[in-house]
Amino acid sequence: MPIGITGTGSYLPTQITKNKDFESHQFLNSDGTIINAPNPVIIKKFKAITGISERRYASKEYNTSDLAFFASEKAINDAGIDKETLDYIIVAHNFGDVTYGNVQGDTLPSLATRVKHKLGIKNPRCVAYDILFGCPGWVQAMIQAHAFIKSGIATKCLVIGAETLSRIVDKYDRDSMIYSDGAGATIVENSPNAGEILFHDSATYANDEANYLFFGKTYNTKIEDDTLYIKMFGRKIYEFALTNVPVAMKHCLDNANIPIKDLKKIFIHQANEKMDEAIVERFYKLYNIDEVPKGIMPMIIEEFGNSSVATIPTLYDLVNKNQIENQNINKGDVVIFASVGAGMNINAIVYRV
């Protein structure tokens, strides 16, 4: 039987923070100097590059594992399965549970164990563990779930991507406007009702690229703060992604023996609108196609920002349930999941719905 997705779910926090809410922030350069531009100009340029107008932040009382739990319940109900029959719960995240007002991540016990506890699953043979793979974590967890089922050591897996990035950002860094919170979940099983993973590809570039994303101190050098925040070399990431992600996508599609004309959707990590558009354009140029098909790449970054591991499962859930205007998928459609992020890691999956 095919191995694929039988249920999806997502959780989008209710707190909306718009770009205008950053107009009173003090943004600094990495050396602590004041950026020589008024905030409205900084924000306008930010919007033009990233495509982000607003983002979602988790309520103070919720943590990453809570968001993961909310999305999981929806996926389990959507699949119509008994939660006690799950063999694995795999949670992709990067920073654990970060309590509101703090920046220290809590991963003891694992977020997957916390989700299993919140779900009330009694079966000890339901194994729960976390995966840290940067933004491509959910895609990689899907690949692992597929391998478990294909090998015969599992029949059903719950795969989750969840994050509260808003709690580990430096408010003096312009990049803080990129990040958001959210969770997406999928049930993966071998079932006649499932879709099918046709091929996948993953890679880690850990030489010059290893520290493109890293933990660093605040840009405000005038305050004593040993806290570390998420930082990145945006231009290097942009160039890395454009060089490597299209090649990984083509490698997957070719090895799945799917003609490019039969590809219906590209579900790409919602990192940066301009970067994602450039990746897809370069992907099609690898097939000597200059014009990207209209509607091939659903985007939700304008409303929801970059929630790391949660972007693709959230996007897929919304499209799967016809909640994005002019975007839908049908049984038998071939789609690609593709991501890039800290590590530096890239991966892709060719999937038949």
Side-chain angles (χ1 to χ4, degrees), residues 57-247:
Y57 292 161
S59 299
K60 295 179 181 180
E61 67 270 25
Y62 294 144
N63 222 318
T64 303
S65 59
D66 294 308
L67 275 55
F69 163 64
F70 298 147
S72 298
E73 279 195 314
K74 294 178 182 179
I76 290 169
N77 291 335
D78 190 46
I81 64 166
D82 178 356
K83 61 188 178 183
E84 295 292 340
T85 64
L86 286 169
D87 298 296
Y88 283 89
I89 298 174
I90 312 172
V91 177
H93 65 89
N94 293 292
F95 303 102
D97 275 355
V98 184
T99 305
Y100 183 83
N102 296 303
V103 291
Q104 181 178 3
D106 177 4
T107 55
L108 186 64
S110 71
L111 268 61
T113 292
R114 297 179 193 199
V115 170
K116 180 180 178 181
H117 175 74
K118 293 174 191 293
L119 287 169
I121 296 174
K122 305 299 183 184
N123 176 16
R125 298 299 179 186
C126 172
V127 178
Y129 72 93
D130 296 354
I131 175 173
L132 278 72
F133 199 71
C135 292
W138 176 82
V139 175
Q140 198 65 24
M142 286 287 293
I143 292 169
Q144 290 186 1
H146 175 260
F148 286 148
I149 297 171
K150 189 175 182 179
S151 69
I153 64 174
T155 58
K156 294 185 183 71
C157 300
L158 169 58
V159 181
I160 310 161
E163 201 66 85
T164 49
L165 294 179
S166 67
R167 298 177 183 176
I168 44 85
V169 295
D170 174 12
K171 66 180 181 179
Y172 297 101
D173 187 344
R174 283 171 291 186
D175 290 341
S176 64
M177 293 188 286
I178 293 173
Y179 302 113
S180 64
D181 307 337
T186 46
I187 299 297
V188 183
E189 56 181 318
N190 54 348
S191 165
N193 299 318
E196 184 176 8
I197 293 176
L198 302 178
F199 199 84
H200 58 79
D201 188 27
S202 302
T204 297
Y205 295 78
N207 294 309
D208 295 338
E209 311 88 354
N211 295 306
Y212 284 177
L213 279 140
F214 61 99
F215 253 9
K217 291 187 177 181
T218 176
Y219 285 171
N220 190 338
T221 57
K222 295 181 180 180
I223 61 175
E224 293 185 8
D225 184 4
D226 292 328
T227 302
L228 300 179
Y229 304 90
I230 184 171
K231 298 289 181 179
M232 68 178 176
F233 296 112
R235 171 51 59 176
K236 290 184 177 181
I237 293 172
Y238 186 94
E239 294 170 352
F240 172 86
L242 261 61
T243 300
N244 294 286
V245 178
V247 175

